[in-house]
Amino acid sequence: MNFQLTEEQLAVQAAARDFAQSELWAGVIERDEHQKFPAEQVKKMGELGFLGMMVSPEYGGGGMDTVSYVLAMEEISKVDASCSVIMSVNNSLVCWGLEKYGTEEQKQKYLTKLTTGEMIGAFALSEPEAGSDATSQSTTAEDMGDYYLLNGTKNWITNGSTASVYLVIAQTDPGKKHRGINALIVERDSPGFVVGPKENKLGIRGSDTHSLMFTDVKVPKENRIGEDGFGFKFAMQVLAGGRIGIAAQALGIASGAYELSVKYSKERKAFGVPISQHQAIQFKLADMATNIDAARLLCLQAAHDKDAGLDYAKSGAMAKLFASKTAMDTAVEAVQVHGGYGFVKEFHVERMMRDAKITQIYEGTSEIQKIVISREILK
Ligand code: CAA
């Protein structure tokens, strides 16, 4: 098995690291504290090609593989997980889904702008009563002939107010259950579409999370993705890939917290020596490093499976399950290594601990990942 990254993958990793280290540290605490959307940083990500990394150059994308995407996600998440969730949703859920299943007209109209950041995309599946139980969609898309009439509410939507394009999952034929669901492209300025207030969140506070309300929104038939009734499978397919991106985000939060812990432990003295010389700290660093390496291998395995055209539902879910636990555990221990300093904002690790939690919740909770993994094992 070859664990070596290619020259191109290493170059992407270096470019993402350089961008994150030079452009994201400044203001990250303020953006978190004031829930400020990183507009300038997202614009720069678009210019550098981080918003449509895996899309073919024909549509303005980077034409890169999923391994490169994982490497970039890790580097950006080390510094600012709010930026990386914006990037992840745009890349994995919106761009990938449109390129794979959209019509040529949809790609020309939306994808070419989503890859450059001229447009930002959002993915709207979750509802007040349908989070993990994604088949129970209450939002309806009534078939009116040449358009759908969209009614309902979506919750916790990343890029909720900054997106221009929303992929909305809705029920057209309740009698057919999940086979009666459609995925529709909805534009931000559609009459009857209202974005609710911003959620006040524990973590990833720079990203804008909103509920969305649709009242008699007319969505042209040509904005449906795939065949009639394909919407639920579409959602499952994009989420399977999205989980690799969120796994890489979790990996990045963990490695960011770990790197700060190593640095701090060499600088901070207690009992006459740097705390890195105390076994109590060394054991923590050793556990962090081991878990992070294991998480990285799972992320790269899942990315490799996707790039090789293999089934990646199980490997993606495993990567997300393990990396998100690693993010949470590592960030908690990073705060412990930093002691009192870890509890204040200037040292970053308290933010990383708050950011880590969402990786165990969105794009399927850890419990959902276990369902996906066990089904794949037992089928
Ligand atoms: N690819 C293609 N089709 C798939 C699939 C996949 N990976 N997984 C399931 N399906 C299909 C099944 O084949 C089945 O279709 P058929 O009946 O035609 O064969 C259909 O989908 C229904 O599957 P299940 O019977 O397995 O459905 P279920 O209700 O038992 O549960 C689940 C499935 C895995 C629990 C699913 O509901 C799920 O993943 N829930 C979590 C939803 C989620 O991740 N939400 C995140 C919201 S988005 C977000 O967080 C974005 C953000 O802001 C960052």
Side-chain angles (χ1 to χ4, degrees):
M1 197 174 201
N2 182 9
F3 288 105
Q4 294 299 313
L5 298 175
T6 64
E7 298 254 313
E8 195 190 349
Q9 289 162 345
L10 287 168
V12 173
Q13 184 183 45
R17 185 177 297 150
D18 186 48
F19 166 70
Q21 297 295 325
S22 61
E23 307 267 348
L24 297 183
W25 278 120
V28 66
I29 292 172
E30 198 210 337
R31 292 195 295 274
D32 169 73
E33 188 157 2
H34 300 293
Q35 298 209 86
K36 198 170 159 222
F37 184 81
E40 278 171 40
Q41 291 75 10
V42 171
K43 185 168 176 284
K44 195 82 191 266
M45 284 200 287
E47 288 162 6
L48 292 171
F50 291 125
L51 295 180
M53 290 184 67
M54 294 170 288
V55 175
S56 146
E58 194 188 337
Y59 302 109
M64 292 174 210
D65 58 11
T66 316
V67 168
S68 299
Y69 171 56
V70 160
L71 298 172
M73 277 295 294
E74 179 183 355
E75 291 304 326
I76 289 170
S77 307
K78 272 186 195 174
V79 185
D80 189 344
S82 293
C83 280
S84 69
V85 72
I86 297 161
M87 171 178 162
S88 177
V89 167
N90 204 69
N91 273 283
S92 305
L93 302 185
V94 181
C95 287
W96 186 84
L98 273 176
E99 183 167 33
K100 175 100 176 149
Y101 297 108
T103 62
E104 189 54 33
E105 290 70 31
Q106 290 168 349
K107 290 178 200 177
Q108 292 298 342
K109 188 166 179 194
Y110 302 110
L111 190 56
T112 51
K113 297 190 173 77
L114 286 160
T115 48
T116 59
E118 195 183 325
M119 280 181 168
I120 298 291
F123 178 78
L125 170 71
S126 302
E127 297 187 350
E129 305 286 334
S132 294
D133 181 9
T135 50
S136 295
Q137 293 289 304
S138 299
T139 299
T140 54
E142 200 182 335
D143 189 338
M144 306 298 283
D146 56 353
Y147 65 92
Y148 289 100
L149 201 59
L150 190 63
N151 279 288
T153 301
K154 296 288 177 182
N155 266 23
W156 312 295
I157 306 305
T158 303
N159 301 337
S161 71
T162 45
S164 320
V165 179
Y166 299 73
L167 306 189
V168 181
I169 311 299
Q171 182 65 258
T172 295
D173 187 344
K176 291 188 181 160
K177 301 200 173 144
H178 65 269
R179 294 193 185 112
I181 289 174
N182 280 309
L184 305 177
I185 304 168
V186 181
E187 294 184 16
R188 174 76 169 86
D189 55 6
S190 306
F193 176 15
V194 174
V195 176
K198 192 171 187 160
E199 298 290 354
N200 188 0
K201 306 188 300 266
L202 174 73
I204 53 159
R205 288 168 57 83
S207 74
D208 63 320
T209 307
H210 294 254
S211 50
L212 312 176
M213 277 78 79
F214 303 99
T215 308
D216 290 338
V217 177
K218 287 184 180 177
V219 184
K221 267 274 171 72
E222 65 261 25
N223 281 22
R224 188 184 71 213
I225 302 175
E227 293 298 303
D228 184 30
F230 179 64
F232 190 75
K233 288 214 171 175
F234 172 78
M236 290 298 108
Q237 288 281 345
V238 296
L239 280 169
R243 285 167 187 158
I244 303 175
I246 296 303
Q249 179 189 45
L251 169 66
I253 296 170
S255 39
Y258 162 75
E259 285 177 10
L260 290 175
S261 300
V262 172
K263 182 168 175 284
Y264 179 82
S265 72
K266 288 180 182 169
E267 290 165 2
R268 168 76 170 165
K269 287 194 173 139
F271 305 102
V273 291
I275 61 170
S276 60
Q277 291 188 27
H278 295 301
Q279 208 173 45
I281 300 297
Q282 290 169 357
F283 280 7
K284 287 186 195 302
L285 297 178
D287 281 341
M288 289 180 187
T290 306
N291 285 325
I292 289 167
D293 270 13
R296 188 176 294 110
L297 286 172
L298 283 172
C299 287
L300 292 174
Q301 172 75 61
H304 167 270
D305 287 352
K306 184 162 173 279
D307 290 336
L310 303 171
D311 192 335
Y312 51 90
K314 184 176 78 171
S315 54
M318 283 181 167
K320 182 177 182 292
L321 177 66
F322 189 79
S324 60
K325 181 169 177 354
T326 299
M328 200 64 240
D329 294 349
T330 305
V332 168
E333 285 296 68
V335 171
Q336 196 68 18
V337 168
H338 283 73
Y341 290 107
F343 208 64
V344 295
K345 293 192 183 295
E346 291 89 299
F347 284 75
H348 298 282
V349 286
E350 66 81 35
R351 184 185 74 255
M352 293 173 175
M353 186 177 87
R354 289 185 284 104
D355 287 350
K357 187 62 206 166
I358 192 62
T359 65
Q360 295 184 302
I361 297 172
Y362 58 22
E363 296 196 23
T365 60
S366 298
E367 293 72 20
I368 289 291
Q369 308 313 314
K370 291 181 191 180
I371 290 174
V372 172
I373 295 163
S374 58
R375 283 183 181 183
E376 292 290 325
I377 294 167
L378 297 170
K379 80 181 179 192

